[in-house]
Amino acid sequence: MTKVFSAEEGMSPHNQQVTIAKHNTSNSCWVVLHGAVYDVTDFLPSHPGGSRIILQLAGRDATAEFDPIHPPGTLEDNLPPTAKLGIVDPESLKKLQHQSNVANPAQEKITPPPPLHHLLNLDEIEAVAKTQVSKKCWAYYFSAADDLISKTYNNTVYRNILLRPRVFVDVTKADTATSILGGTFKLSTPLYVSPAAMARLAHPDGEAGIAKGISRFGAMQLVSHNASMSPEQIVADAKPDQIFGWQLYVQTARAKSEAMLARIAKLPQYKCVVLTLDAPVPSKREHDEKAALEAELLIEASRSEEEKEKAKKRPDSNSGVGQQLFFGTAADLTWNTTLPWLAKHTKLPIVLKGIQTHEDVYLAAQYAKKHPRTIKAVILSNHGGRSLDTAPPAVHTLLECKKYCPEVFDIIEIWVDGGIRRGTDIVKALCLGAKAVGVGRAALYGLGAGGWKGVERTFEILQGELQTCMKMIGAKDISELGPRFINSRMVERDIFDGGAGLDTSGLQTFRAAKL
């Protein structure tokens, strides 16, 4: 017989003096999810986001906090069946849900968004998304490292590259079709979705909604390691020819990464593994952390004095979404150990994400030459400015490669992301040698503004601007784009000028690496 619990002090429906609210300490921690009571005491030390975030919700209904950031199956994968203690009686459940609503600003009513076709650019989509999503969601998406300098410069650097239109060219059509990973996979556009975590924070459509929104454009989606839906759910309704890649943060417990790689291998929609390298440790994202602290104050304000005293004794830690997601991420990756390990556990092409210097692009190309069935592409990225503030934008690294090691473009594909706001930005990156150009926040903002249709509108705008720009400069297809269509002199003066350093001076950190 299923055990029934009450929320607060008093007799339960079966005359048992068992209340949920009392179990709110690290010695006895219960939470309610979808009307069921779980004892998560033993799980506290191993929770990826740390114990504090669970203890803040101890003795309460945690459904609203849990659902948007946990894929289905999370409970089953991490808790033994005995952790499910029973259910909450209906009246008590209403009380718990009311408490959750009081402590969760996301439950406030919001103004309906304008029709999507009224939104003409990505700035307008972002502005609407801000009015539709929770403060927690907005803080996580918007946040970047420290002073947001890299985040801002990612975009403004494109403003300093000028276009050079040619005339007397028949541009009745502009073909944006391309291919990736050595020509193996065909895409209708070079525009792709970079790994974007926690999509269901913005809208229930989640990562599957992003897949649906970009489907008619023949675009690729790189799925975040920290997706809020399962890999299977995301691709379940995808078109037969849709291309996906899976992002990998290598875990300290390598067995977890190996299990996920085996899982991805069973899903034919995933065509590559994207090994992320630019975030070995969590960064300081103040908007995200501040939102978490403000939410904590709301929760604490609704607690009794006894509960507040208990809370003071809990260990302190940052509890922003970004901090939580990095728990368990390995910081010991090397050329010599990580790539052979990865090649052993996946047969898919490997894409290295987060390369920020020409030296590392060169090393990746050398590795690819020696191990032909491993690295196929690199993504020049500073994690959307979310990892190391004042790290260079992808455009700088592209220009470094053109100057110091142009041969790499013939060995591996170079993709970029970060700061893309207009179709002209896409064209400029392609003219500098990029094979594909990604957007991350833009897809999440589209989702927040209107679910999967908001993502579709986002890509509709960017794809339209891309084609218009190509016609305006006189390029009939992607293959015609090149450096003579742009003037990048203003940016070239700011790139690294310490020499190529491809003998020993620039690679001395890696002198022991056996590439």
Side-chain angles (χ1 to χ4, degrees):
M1 181 176 174
T2 302
K3 200 169 187 178
V4 181
F5 296 89
S6 64
E8 298 174 335
E9 199 69 53
M11 303 301 285
S12 77
H14 295 283
N15 297 320
Q16 295 172 317
Q17 191 73 23
V18 182
T19 60
I20 298 165
K22 281 191 170 184
H23 296 269
N24 61 358
T25 70
S26 57
N27 294 322
S28 182
C29 182
W30 294 6
V31 294
V32 175
L33 295 168
H34 299 288
V37 182
Y38 292 88
D39 183 348
V40 295
T41 309
D42 293 338
F43 179 61
L44 290 175
S46 59
H47 180 241
S51 61
R52 184 179 182 182
I53 189 65
I54 299 180
L55 288 169
Q56 287 176 2
L57 300 166
R60 294 169 177 264
D61 187 341
T63 306
E65 291 283 339
F66 178 89
D67 267 2
I69 59 175
H70 294 88
T74 300
L75 289 173
E76 293 78 3
D77 290 343
N78 292 280
L79 297 177
T82 53
K84 186 175 181 179
L85 304 179
I87 61 173
V88 188
D89 74 85
E91 287 304 313
S92 287
L93 184 59
K94 290 179 183 178
K95 291 180 182 179
L96 287 172
Q97 289 171 340
H98 175 72
Q99 290 174 346
S100 177
N101 290 343
V102 169
N104 187 357
Q107 303 298 324
E108 296 174 2
K109 284 191 174 182
I110 53 180
T111 304
L116 289 171
H117 69 275
H118 286 200
L119 307 180
L120 304 181
N121 56 59
L122 267 59
D123 289 339
E124 292 183 356
I125 289 178
E126 179 178 339
V128 170
K130 186 175 182 179
T131 69
Q132 302 299 301
V133 302
S134 69
K135 187 170 184 179
K136 172 182 178 178
C137 172
W138 178 256
Y140 174 61
Y141 290 171
F142 180 83
S143 65
D146 296 350
D147 298 308
L148 283 66
I149 291 170
S150 286
K151 177 191 175 185
T152 302
Y153 194 51
N154 279 347
N155 175 252
T156 56
V157 70
Y158 281 104
R159 307 286 81 78
N160 292 328
I161 298 175
L162 302 181
L163 294 164
R164 302 183 67 243
R166 302 302 302 270
V167 297
F168 278 132
V169 179
D170 180 359
V171 288
T172 307
K173 295 181 180 180
D175 185 4
T176 63
T178 188
S179 61
I180 58 166
L181 301 175
T184 307
F185 304 108
K186 309 297 182 184
L187 300 171
S188 298
T189 178
L191 178 62
Y192 69 90
V193 177
S194 285
M198 298 292 110
R200 285 174 64 219
L201 276 177
H203 194 279
D205 287 352
E207 289 82 5
I210 293 177
K212 185 175 182 179
I214 69 173
S215 61
R216 75 177 175 92
F217 301 97
M220 172 176 62
Q221 179 180 356
L222 303 182
V223 177
S224 172
H225 175 98
N226 293 309
S228 56
M229 302 178 75
S230 70
E232 294 83 3
Q233 281 184 312
I234 295 166
V235 302
D237 297 321
K239 291 184 176 181
D241 58 347
Q242 246 181 293
I243 304 297
F244 295 84
W246 179 260
Q247 180 195 35
L248 177 69
Y249 281 108
V250 178
Q251 300 297 287
T252 302
R254 294 294 197 272
K256 291 184 177 180
S257 296
E258 292 165 7
M260 180 55 77
L261 289 169
R263 187 172 167 185
I264 295 301
K266 297 176 182 177
L267 300 169
Q269 297 91 338
Y270 292 95
K271 307 299 185 184
C272 62
V273 171
V274 182
L275 176 62
T276 293
L277 302 169
D278 57 1
V281 295
S283 60
K284 185 184 181 189
R285 304 177 190 172
E286 294 174 10
H287 288 84
D288 187 27
E289 292 176 23
K290 183 69 72 175
L293 292 170
E294 290 174 357
E296 179 184 341
L297 286 176
L298 286 171
I299 292 172
E300 292 302 318
S302 65
R303 291 190 183 278
S304 67
E305 289 302 317
E306 181 184 358
E307 290 173 325
K308 289 178 183 178
E309 285 301 316
K310 292 178 181 177
K312 290 179 182 177
K313 300 177 183 178
R314 296 170 189 161
D316 190 29
S317 65
N318 291 318
S319 55
V321 175
Q323 293 277 344
Q324 297 170 39
L325 295 181
F326 273 92
F327 183 88
T329 300
D332 60 349
L333 309 189
T334 70
W335 293 99
N336 288 340
T337 61
T338 306
L339 290 172
W341 165 82
L342 182 54
K344 180 180 177 182
H345 292 283
T346 183
K347 299 302 180 185
L348 295 175
I350 297 169
V351 179
L352 302 184
K353 183 180 185 296
I355 305 298
Q356 297 165 85
T357 65
H358 75 270
E359 293 96 331
D360 281 337
V361 176
Y362 175 82
L363 286 170
Q366 295 305 303
Y367 193 96
K369 282 175 67 176
K370 188 170 182 181
H371 308 277
R373 288 182 291 278
T374 55
I375 301 171
K376 291 296 184 182
V378 297
I379 302 178
L380 308 185
S381 172
N382 58 26
H383 216 87
R386 293 163 77 84
S387 287
L388 177 64
D389 203 16
T390 70
V395 165
H396 276 212
T397 313
L398 263 178
L399 286 167
E400 279 187 34
C401 291
K402 298 288 279 188
K403 181 176 181 179
Y404 295 123
C405 52
E407 67 273 16
V408 300
F409 290 91
D410 297 324
I411 302 171
I412 54 176
E413 293 177 10
I414 297 183
W415 308 351
V416 300
D417 72 13
I420 302 299
R421 307 286 289 184
R422 291 284 187 181
T424 50
D425 301 335
I426 301 170
V427 169
K428 292 170 184 178
L430 295 172
C431 286
L432 286 172
K435 185 69 171 176
V437 182
V439 293
R441 287 185 182 92
L444 295 173
Y445 292 151
L447 202 62
W452 73 267
K453 290 185 178 180
V455 179
E456 183 179 58
R457 179 58 179 157
T458 299
F459 265 63
E460 186 175 56
I461 291 170
L462 287 173
Q463 182 68 7
E465 290 178 351
L466 166 60
Q467 291 177 312
T468 296
C469 180
M470 288 177 62
K471 291 178 179 180
M472 287 288 192
I473 64 174
K476 292 180 284 187
D477 59 53
I478 295 295
S479 67
E480 292 187 353
L481 295 175
R484 298 198 66 82
F485 280 114
I486 58 172
N487 178 357
S488 57
R489 186 69 178 272
M490 282 191 287
V491 181
E492 288 170 22
R493 69 188 181 192
D494 292 334
I495 69 170
F496 176 77
D497 66 350
L502 301 180
D503 43 14
T504 57
S505 59
L507 304 180
Q508 57 185 348
T509 305
F510 313 102
R511 60 183 179 273
K514 298 177 181 178
L515 300 180

